[in-house]
Every structure is written in C-alpha cells, then in structure tokens.
Amino acid sequence: MKRASHVFISSTLLAAVLVGVTAAPAAAVDQEVDGTGIVHVGYYPDTPSPGADINALVAALGSGLNRMTFAGYSIDVVFPVFDTPTVLNEVWAAGGTPFVNLFVGNVSTSSIASGEQDSFLESWADKLKLWLDEGAGRSIIIAPLPEMNMAGGKAYQCQLATFKGAYERIVNVIDARLGPAAQERVRWTFAPNVSGGGCGSIGGYYPDPMTVDFTGLAGRAVDPGAVSPLALFSSALADLKDVAASKPILITDTGACATASRPGWISSLFDLLRGDSHVLGLVWFNKVEGCDWQIWNGTVDGAFDTAFDTAVYRSPPIDDWFVPGTTLVVAALADTPDPCPDGATCDSVSVINGSGPTFNNYLRARLFAPRNIFIYGNPGDFPLMGDWNCDTIDTPGMYRQSDGFVYLRNSNSVGNADVQFFLGNPGDVPIVGDWTGDGCDTISVYRPSEQRFFIDEVYEGEAGVVGNYGFVFGNPGDKPFAGDLDGDGIDEVGLHRESTGLVYYRNTLTTGNAESQFIFGDPDDIIEAGDWNGNGTDSVAVYRPLTGVVYLKLTNQQGIADVSFFVGVGMIGLATAPRTPLPPA
C-alpha cells in the first residue's frame, strides 16, 4: 500500500593516509568493513617534504608488509604553506593516500556557512582535483574543522549552533568543484576531540549523515601513566557509535608524551583498537609541541616498533574504502538487522531538514545513509510525501499553512511543482493517506481549533473548502498522524500527545472514542507510522529531535523500540516512504 503519513517539528592537519581506490563501478554498492583484529597505523611527519621521511621510517621499521598506512599534515585553504599537489604526490609515491585535517583560516563557522569563504575552498578544490585527476587510484580522506567540540583557541571551535552548517558547506562546495568522478575518490571524516571541554555533546555537532563517510577521534595523553587509552577513548567511542553506528572510525590524532609509562600505554592502545570492530586505524602525532610526542626522529621508539609489528598495512588503492556507495561496519549491521525481510516491500523513512528544505530518502529503515537527497519547496512550508499520481512511488509535496497552498512534485528530484492548488483554512495541519484503498494518496487536513479531521478523497481542492466528509476526534494540542493501523488496506488517523508519549487512534474515519492507545517514546518525540516489516499493517515510530534518532516499533503496543537508527538532529519533518523491493543485504 502506498502511503505517506507525516508529522512536522519546529527547529531550525593534512594527514596522509596510505589508502587507495580502484575505478568506480557503475552503481553504488555498500561496502562492509570489519576492524576486528586490525590496526592500520600512520603518523604526522614533521616536515614539508614527507616522502623521504616516510621512506626512512619504513626502512627503520623493517621491510615487508609492515609499512606505514597513515601520515599527516594540516592544510589551511586560506593560508597555505606548501603546494598541495606536490605534497600529496610525495605521500602517494611513498605508498599512501592523503588524509587531510582541513582548516579555513581562523574565521567563525557562521562565516564559512554563509559562503564568505567559498572562494578559498574552490581554489583549494581545484588543486585537489588536479592531483586526483592524475589517476592511478589517487584518493584522499578529509576531516574538515577537526576537534570542533573543544575550546582550543580556534574561531570555529565550541560553536555548537553553527558548526554543522559550516562543515556541510565545506563538503558541498568542494564536492561541487570536484565533480562526480573525483568525488568518489574522497571520503569525508567528522573528527571531534575525546574531551569536549564543556562545549556540548559529540552528537550535537554531528552534521548531515550524507556528508560523513568516516568518523574520527582526536585524543592524546600528556601523562600516559595517569590516563590509559581505555580511559581516554572509551566514552567518546561510545558517543560516536550512538550517533553514527554504521560509520567506520579512525583515531585521527593521538599520542603520549615521552615518559617511562609510554611503552605500556602504546601497547595498551594497540590492544584496545584491535578489539574494536568499528576502529580501522590511528594517526600518531609525531611532533614536539608542549612535550615530546615523537615516536620517530631518525630513530624509532622501541615500544612503537614492537607494537607496529602487529599492524596491518593496506597499500593503495584500498578498494573497499573508495567505491560508490556507503562504507559500513559489519558489526553494526549485525547488531541492527533490517526489519524488512529480503524481497519484501516495506516502508522506510524520509527525513527533511530546513536547509532547502532538503529531503533525505532512506531505502532501508536501518543504519544506511540516504540513497536519494534533493531540495524541494520553500522554507517554512510543511513537507509531505505521498503517491500523488498512483504510480507506486512516493514523491514530495509542500503545504503552506498561511493560505492552504499545496504544491506537489511527481519525482524525487529538484524541480518545479507538477500540481498546485489550495486546500483548507489558515492554520490547518496537512495529513496524507490512502483513504479509499485505491493505491492513491490524497491530502486532507486536521483543524486544531476544532479537533476536526477533513478527509479529502480527491486529488485537488480549493481554499476554504475541504474534504468529502469530516469528523471530530482527539484533544486540544495533540498532533495528528495517519497510517493503516489495522491492516485493512485503508489509512486511518491517530493522535500523539507529545508531552507524555500517548498514542491513540480509531480504526474508522468517524467520530468516537479511541479504539487503541498506548505510550511510546519520551516527551517531545515526534510520531510517524509505516509498515516497517512488510506485514501489511502500519506501526508507529518516533523521531527524537535532541539526539537525531528514529525509533521504530513493529507492533502498536507499549514497549521499547524494535529498531533504532540515527538520521540527524534538527530535522523539520519525518515521513514514511515505501521502497522498491531490494535484494538481500
């Protein structure tokens, strides 16, 4: 059955990584990786000419498979101190692919988000493209504005309200300059610090998942005898897995000061990372800055040399890190199975943010990133999803509460409306459903001032005139939603009390008492309904704005969620959207 019930909320160090790519396949394919027992190792060379330094370190560590997989620098697109293609080529020639901690001068995140720094980003992107276009699998990992969640003296740090917009602007501007082919040879990394220092939670900074391929963590031990690797990283690793459970993790900047305790600390660090299926590797801060962090200065630190013997080297190109599609952690997929059986047609979710607005359509209600993302409509209008032309595909629509203006599109893409009309009175709340079981969705409205639903079975309407019929149901302040909650092939309406999580609904489109009610979720969660497991009956889901997590129930009854996954904080809308049957995951 095609349906789109919905609810709406108000909101608002170049590092070189020895990694690579092969030629991109024709279609996006999810790649699964497993970090269990694996540590890919790298370091930040303290020289503007890394090639010779990397080769000397590799020679000191010994030949064979145990080579450095990462090396590192910082790049500032406003104040560059070396030629980007030259440095990247040195790293590549030494067996690596660059990982970049990317800075944009010392300006605020609002300046970056507004586009004021676009010319610097575009200029650097052009240089990056020149290097990528040399071919031979050249690829790069970039971490824009790293350690944003701490007060470290940089203007972009500790800017919780505006960081996401700045990060997303950097990614989008550079991607647009690179073009589709070069984009596939870039992986973007969200890389906070383990500490935070009172600047807010890691999840609060997490940007649009479509702009994040890997996640990262930076953390060092000034006194390795007092702070173990477990104590340093464990809490932040858990936070990263909460907000991005399927994303691989890199330790993007780590180290321990040279004290008597450091040898044991290094050994414990490798043990910790080998035991974590999400973590793929580390980059060591090999400089003298505040203390001596170096494990290489012409001579290799003995403890690091010993630990390095257990490392895994991946020579470029690393095929499963740089192909079209999403790189996913195997353990995360096993922990959260897809509720939809293989080959079945189930609902999934579309989440809408206020920038654009932008629709993010997920093909699986699981841990996958959106597979379709596009801008449609005007800010402030209510976003909708429904099968407007009865072709079995849900597409976007918008509703303007001020005057009842409806404008619908029949494809999931940027473009003008295919159909537009007026429906209802100012202040009405739109709901979408298949009210007759004919496989076509239509827009109806709920009038909060009267607690009255107006059900419209036809495709269009006119201002002030709504519905083939109406009925009263619910209490003041409760929020409407719709879905086939009894599995009879026809959508019904329900209401959600956000203050308590009370869900109640009727099985017919008539006035009367609730025929079912239960509590689900926390106060202020936002409700939706869909057929998540393909059994023909819709059940509820809630979106938690503060954490950005969607929680699905597979039955309409009280209890904990059956499936949960992160979609991003600050969304303005959540809708259900059926998907085409997919092959087995």
Side-chain angles (χ1 to χ4, degrees):
M1 178 180 181
K2 287 80 61 188
R3 66 186 67 81
S5 55
H6 52 274
V7 293
F8 309 97
I9 62 174
S10 60
S11 71
T12 41
L13 318 168
L14 162 64
V17 183
L18 307 190
V19 195
V21 302
T22 56
V29 178
D30 293 323
Q31 299 294 319
E32 299 181 1
V33 297
D34 188 348
T36 305
I38 292 174
V39 183
H40 301 101
V41 181
Y43 79 121
Y44 287 84
D46 193 14
T47 170
S49 301
D53 196 65
I54 294 171
N55 288 327
L57 174 55
V58 168
L61 287 166
S63 59
L65 295 178
N66 287 331
R67 295 171 57 88
M68 297 301 292
T69 301
F70 304 91
Y73 286 86
S74 299
I75 285 185
D76 190 322
V77 300
V78 178
F79 304 110
V81 296
F82 48 77
D83 180 66
T84 293
T86 299
V87 170
L88 301 188
N89 268 327
E90 283 201 34
V91 172
W92 192 263
T97 298
F99 171 103
V100 176
N101 286 317
L102 193 66
F103 300 90
V104 187
N106 194 29
V107 300
S108 68
T109 48
S110 58
S111 174
I112 299 170
S114 69
E116 294 176 14
Q117 309 303 318
D118 282 3
S119 62
F120 294 108
L121 295 169
E122 290 169 346
S123 177
W124 186 75
D126 290 342
K127 296 174 183 177
L128 174 61
K129 189 174 188 305
L130 285 174
W131 179 75
L132 291 169
D133 286 349
E134 292 184 40
R138 280 171 170 78
S139 46
I140 191 168
I141 300 174
I142 306 174
L145 309 180
E147 301 181 76
M148 76 301 296
N149 61 324
M150 62 179 290
K154 294 182 172 62
Y156 71 83
Q157 293 179 312
C158 211
Q159 300 297 307
L160 183 61
T162 53
F163 170 79
K164 289 187 291 184
Y167 177 102
E168 292 162 9
R169 184 82 183 191
I170 292 170
V171 173
N172 292 331
V173 168
I174 292 176
D175 268 356
R177 203 74 171 184
L178 293 178
Q183 286 174 17
E184 296 300 344
R185 302 198 298 275
V186 177
R187 287 294 175 261
W188 296 99
T189 301
F190 168 72
N193 186 272
V194 295
S195 173
C199 290
S201 68
I202 286 175
Y205 289 88
Y206 191 67
D208 185 335
M210 282 295 290
T211 63
V212 179
D213 298 298
F214 297 163
T215 58
L217 278 177
R220 306 180 208 155
V222 175
D223 183 355
V227 180
S228 69
L230 180 64
L232 183 65
F233 287 107
S234 60
S235 178
L237 283 171
D239 289 344
L240 272 185
K241 294 169 189 176
D242 282 344
V243 300
S246 66
K247 308 282 189 183
I249 299 172
L250 296 173
I251 304 303
T252 55
D253 183 331
T254 192
C257 289
T259 70
S261 300
R262 187 165 77 170
W265 195 93
I266 292 174
S267 177
S268 296
L269 175 65
F270 276 71
D271 288 343
L272 174 68
L273 302 188
R274 272 196 302 271
D276 194 313
S277 62
H278 288 69
V279 180
L280 300 183
L282 66 89
V283 189
W284 189 277
F285 185 74
N286 190 61
K287 300 184 180 183
V288 176
E289 187 177 287
C291 75
D292 184 2
W293 307 94
Q294 293 179 315
I295 46 81
W296 162 248
N297 58 4
T299 302
V300 180
D301 178 271
F304 189 86
D305 194 356
T306 299
F308 188 73
D309 288 339
T310 67
V312 176
Y313 170 63
R314 297 287 299 275
S315 61
I318 297 182
D319 299 344
D320 54 351
W321 288 19
F322 292 88
V323 296
T326 304
T327 306
L328 305 163
V329 176
V330 171
L333 304 183
D335 291 344
T336 308
D338 191 341
C340 188
D342 291 337
T345 299
C346 309
D347 287 332
S348 190
V349 299
S350 178
V351 292
I352 302 95
N353 65 37
S355 176
T358 303
F359 288 73
N360 302 267
N361 294 340
Y362 287 70
L363 289 186
R364 288 183 182 267
R366 197 186 183 188
L367 299 169
F368 289 62
R371 281 295 176 272
N372 181 230
I373 181 169
F374 57 92
I375 294 173
Y376 180 70
N378 292 329
D381 293 347
F382 271 68
L384 316 169
M385 288 287 288
D387 183 4
W388 318 122
N389 60 357
C390 314
D391 67 350
T392 75
I393 300 173
D394 281 16
T395 53
M398 302 294 283
Y399 182 84
R400 189 163 299 155
Q401 278 191 294
S402 61
D403 59 7
F405 180 53
V406 179
Y407 51 111
L408 311 176
R409 184 161 172 77
N410 290 325
S411 64
N412 287 303
S413 60
V414 175
N416 297 322
D418 295 301
V419 176
Q420 50 191 331
F421 55 90
F422 289 87
L423 179 69
N425 290 340
D428 286 351
V429 178
I431 56 173
V432 174
D434 179 357
W435 315 114
T436 63
D438 65 355
C440 304
D441 287 331
T442 56
I443 300 174
S444 299
V445 298
Y446 174 70
R447 190 158 295 161
S449 61
E450 302 175 13
Q451 293 88 63
R452 185 179 297 273
F453 288 87
F454 294 91
I455 302 300
D456 198 338
E457 296 176 350
V458 299
Y459 191 64
E460 301 181 7
E462 59 181 287
V465 179
V466 291
N468 300 94
Y469 54 91
F471 58 94
V472 174
F473 179 53
N475 291 337
D478 294 345
K479 303 297 178 63
F481 68 98
D484 183 8
L485 302 168
D486 60 359
D488 66 352
I490 297 173
D491 284 342
E492 300 85 34
V493 299
L495 288 150
H496 178 229
R497 192 162 300 160
E498 292 183 0
S499 61
T500 65
L502 175 66
V503 179
Y504 59 104
Y505 60 88
R506 284 183 58 75
N507 292 327
T508 58
L509 297 169
T510 58
T511 298
N513 295 324
E515 293 173 305
S516 181
Q517 63 181 39
F518 57 93
I519 302 291
F520 180 59
D522 291 346
D524 298 323
D525 284 352
I526 309 303
I527 198 168
E528 183 52 284
D531 183 2
W532 316 121
N533 58 4
N535 69 351
T537 301
D538 288 354
S539 52
V540 298
V542 294
Y543 168 69
R544 192 156 296 160
L546 291 178
T547 63
V549 176
V550 171
Y551 299 89
L552 308 180
K553 279 290 291 180
L554 302 183
T555 57
N556 287 311
Q557 60 188 21
Q558 197 157 314
I560 63 173
D562 297 297
V563 177
S564 63
F565 57 102
F566 182 86
V567 297
V569 298
M571 298 295 173
I572 66 167
L574 177 69
T576 59
R579 67 187 184 194
T580 301
L582 297 177

